[in-house]
Amino acid sequence: MSLLDQKFAELRKAGKKALIPFVMGGDPDMETTQKIILQLQAAGADVIEVGMPFSDPLADGPTIQLATARALSAGMTPQKWLAGLAAIQSKVSVPLVCLTYWNPILNFKQGGKTGPEAYMLAAQKAGISGLIIPDLSLEASASVQKLAKKIGISLTLLVAPTSSAKRLR
């Protein structure tokens, strides 16, 4: 069970809802992101969603798109993003959830490894306990779910407001 699953189980048992703020990693820089994460934790966040900047965030609105553009303009990369989170991991006690897209995960390279497993191992090592991948379809998610479960990361699937009742089932 991931830290995220544990947190939700704890909140469910207490009859509480989760406060889950969002911050874009690297906007305006990673040092500021680190400070924001620690301040959100101190202010009572139960979970913190941290966006990993991607050049084509089609499923996000203008606010996240602009934050992504600023982070990328400042030189943010997936590797720098993960290193920045890893640097504060010992100070973070709440689950961190990564909002990203499938392409950066599919093309992730680190330590001589490439692809989803390399990304998830690096993310887990950096303190990520959950993933949200807006452009990952249900049909393509089975292998990703299996891999995430093996590594100990929760995968949250999204539902479009236009989804039919049949698809929701």
Side-chain angles (χ1 to χ4, degrees), residues 20 50 55 69 76 100 135 157 168:
I20 309 175
V50 186
S55 61
M76 187 54 53
T100 189
D135 62 343
L157 298 177
L168 289 173

Side-chain angles (χ1 to χ4, degrees), residues 4-16:
L4 181 61
D5 292 332
Q6 291 172 24
K7 175 54 82 173
F8 282 134
E10 170 192 316
L11 291 167
R12 211 175 289 115
K13 186 176 180 181
K16 295 182 177 181

Side-chain angles (χ1 to χ4, degrees), residues 84-96:
L85 295 178
I88 61 167
Q89 184 181 17
S90 65
K91 299 175 185 174
V92 178
S93 59
V94 299
L96 297 179

Side-chain angles (χ1 to χ4, degrees), residues 145-159:
Q145 288 182 30
K146 185 177 178 181
L147 178 61
K149 186 174 183 173
K150 174 183 153 191
I151 292 173
I153 293 179
S154 297
L155 179 64
T156 300
L157 298 177
L158 300 180
V159 177

Side-chain angles (χ1 to χ4, degrees), residues 12-33:
R12 211 175 289 115
K13 186 176 180 181
K16 295 182 177 181
K17 306 290 183 201
L19 174 62
I20 309 175
F22 174 85
V23 60
M24 178 55 68
D27 178 28
D29 54 56
M30 200 61 197
E31 182 180 303
T32 302
T33 299

Side-chain angles (χ1 to χ4, degrees), residues 113 116-126 147 151 153:
K113 294 183 180 182
E117 186 170 9
Y119 177 81
M120 287 193 206
L121 288 169
Q124 192 266 349
K125 189 175 181 181
L147 178 61
I151 292 173
I153 293 179

Side-chain angles (χ1 to χ4, degrees), residues 102 116 120 131 133 136 140-149 155:
W102 183 237
M120 287 193 206
L131 280 174
I133 309 169
L136 181 65
S141 71
S143 63
V144 180
Q145 288 182 30
K146 185 177 178 181
L147 178 61
K149 186 174 183 173
L155 179 64

Side-chain angles (χ1 to χ4, degrees), residues 14-93:
K16 295 182 177 181
K17 306 290 183 201
L19 174 62
I20 309 175
F22 174 85
V23 60
M24 178 55 68
D27 178 28
D29 54 56
M30 200 61 197
E31 182 180 303
T32 302
T33 299
Q34 292 167 331
K35 289 176 184 175
I36 291 170
I37 289 170
L38 296 174
Q39 288 175 352
L40 289 170
Q41 176 179 267
D46 296 300
V47 176
I48 301 171
E49 185 180 347
V50 186
M52 187 177 84
F54 174 55
S55 61
D56 200 15
L58 292 177
D60 295 316
T63 301
I64 293 177
Q65 289 176 353
L66 289 170
T68 294
R70 287 189 300 263
L72 292 173
S73 292
M76 187 54 53
T77 66
Q79 290 78 6
K80 289 178 183 177
W81 184 86
L82 288 164
L85 295 178
I88 61 167
Q89 184 181 17
S90 65
K91 299 175 185 174
V92 178
S93 59

